[in-house]
Amino acid sequence: MRISGIAGMAWASGPLAGRRCQGAVVAAVVTCSAVLASAVGGPPAPPSPAPRLAWHPCVPGGRFDCATAKVPLDYRNPGGRTIELALVKRKATGPGRRIGTLFFNPGGPGGPGTVQMPQNYAFFPREVRERFDIVSWDPRGIGSSTAVNCFASRKEADAWAASKPAGLPVGEAQRAAWFAAYRDLARRCERRDPALLRHVSTADTARDLDGLRRAVGEPRLTYLGTSYGTILGATYANLFPGRVRAMVLDSNIDPQAWTNHASDAAPGSPRSCAWDRTAARRRS
């Protein structure tokens, strides 16, 4: 197993590395809550069959292929409710030189891989593009996968967005309004689909990734994760230490801080949220 932590690699210094601390509204809620700080420990989940993938061109004549995977909502109850994961793939471009599949998570959490991998495909080194199928996906809870839907209508969503300062809050009053708005958003999300929200976790996403690895026929995982994707990669390596071929973890987040140092006390904000607050204070 080879795991590299490389901040600012030359081939990841363009838009691939520039998408930090981004994500949809729901991703912001999940980032700043205890949902994603779920423990890796506990009894292993019962095995579930690998998803079946029917790849097809995302658009007629296009170079990217799309597929949908069905996975358990709760891996401890694999026969229960299922959810869907949206995937995208670009096949290896070097005839006869293919090594396998490289999985890519762009970070966030909540970065839609089906959007960001095609956007950033040209920034992968030529040698990587020649020798690997590059696959990414929208993690559970966001994008074109089974998504957490917090609003009944566009009008309701727009009204919520208008209730908070745009961008990073500046000053104490804006910070208070910003946090109040996101607490309200978390309550809205939980009311609409509490079971889904309960399983939008790093550990569940790592198990999704292991199922996708098996679905493409790889005996071990080759993986690139940036920003939050480093937490996902570290979680995968801890859950499945014998199933890693190689990892690049770029712009590492401290797993101990992210998971509240395994404390049973009330969780603090993840480092990304703390960074946002620090930046806001410097601007005020």
Side-chain angles (χ1 to χ4, degrees):
M1 177 176 70
R2 182 170 72 257
I3 303 177
S4 302
I6 308 171
M9 293 181 292
W11 60 272
S13 60
L16 187 66
R19 298 183 181 277
R20 303 289 188 253
C21 299
Q22 295 183 15
V25 165
V26 171
V29 175
V30 177
T31 302
C32 300
S33 70
V35 174
L36 272 167
S38 60
V40 171
S48 59
R52 294 183 179 181
L53 303 178
W55 294 103
H56 59 276
C58 299
V59 296
R63 296 182 178 182
F64 292 91
D65 294 325
C66 288
T68 301
K70 286 189 176 182
V71 299
L73 172 66
D74 180 356
Y75 279 92
R76 289 187 171 83
N77 181 24
R81 177 181 169 184
T82 60
I83 59 173
E84 294 185 343
L85 303 177
L87 290 88
V88 66
K89 175 176 72 173
R90 179 70 184 268
K91 294 179 181 177
T93 61
R97 303 192 65 208
R98 180 183 180 276
I99 294 174
T101 300
L102 168 67
F103 283 91
F104 168 57
N105 180 276
T114 61
V115 175
Q116 293 190 23
M117 190 276 275
Q119 285 178 338
N120 293 289
Y121 176 76
F123 293 92
F124 287 87
R126 175 179 55 82
E127 295 84 355
V128 172
R129 288 181 276 130
E130 286 179 347
R131 308 200 71 181
F132 288 93
D133 295 345
I134 301 177
V135 172
S136 194
W137 76 107
D138 292 355
R140 56 172 57 209
I142 66 102
S144 296
S145 295
T146 300
V148 176
N149 182 0
C150 305
F151 302 105
S153 66
R154 168 60 60 180
K155 181 178 179 180
E156 186 179 327
D158 290 344
W160 177 86
S163 71
K164 68 179 185 64
L168 289 177
V170 177
E172 188 60 37
Q174 285 195 4
R175 286 197 293 272
W178 195 88
F179 280 108
Y182 277 103
R183 281 192 292 268
D184 173 60
L185 179 58
R187 288 190 292 267
R188 291 170 184 260
C189 298
E190 186 175 17
R191 283 198 301 266
R192 291 185 64 83
D193 195 342
L196 175 59
L197 193 63
R198 195 158 48 243
H199 288 284
V200 179
S201 74
T202 302
D204 285 304
T205 299
R207 292 184 175 98
D208 290 341
L209 177 56
D210 192 59
L212 298 179
R213 172 195 62 80
R214 291 184 288 126
V216 300
E218 293 294 339
R220 293 188 296 166
L221 178 72
T222 304
Y223 175 81
L224 165 63
T226 61
S227 191
Y228 167 77
T230 67
I231 292 290
L232 177 58
T235 301
Y236 183 95
N238 278 274
L239 282 171
F240 309 110
R243 303 179 194 175
V244 177
R245 173 188 172 273
M247 281 187 172
V248 174
L249 305 182
D250 175 19
S251 307
N252 296 56
I253 295 173
D254 181 2
Q256 295 275 3
W258 186 267
T259 56
N260 202 35
H261 296 271
S263 171
D264 292 330
S269 296
R271 289 297 297 272
S272 58
C273 294
W275 182 91
D276 286 348
R277 289 201 300 276
T278 301
R281 291 192 189 102
R282 288 173 179 168
R283 294 168 120 191
S284 60

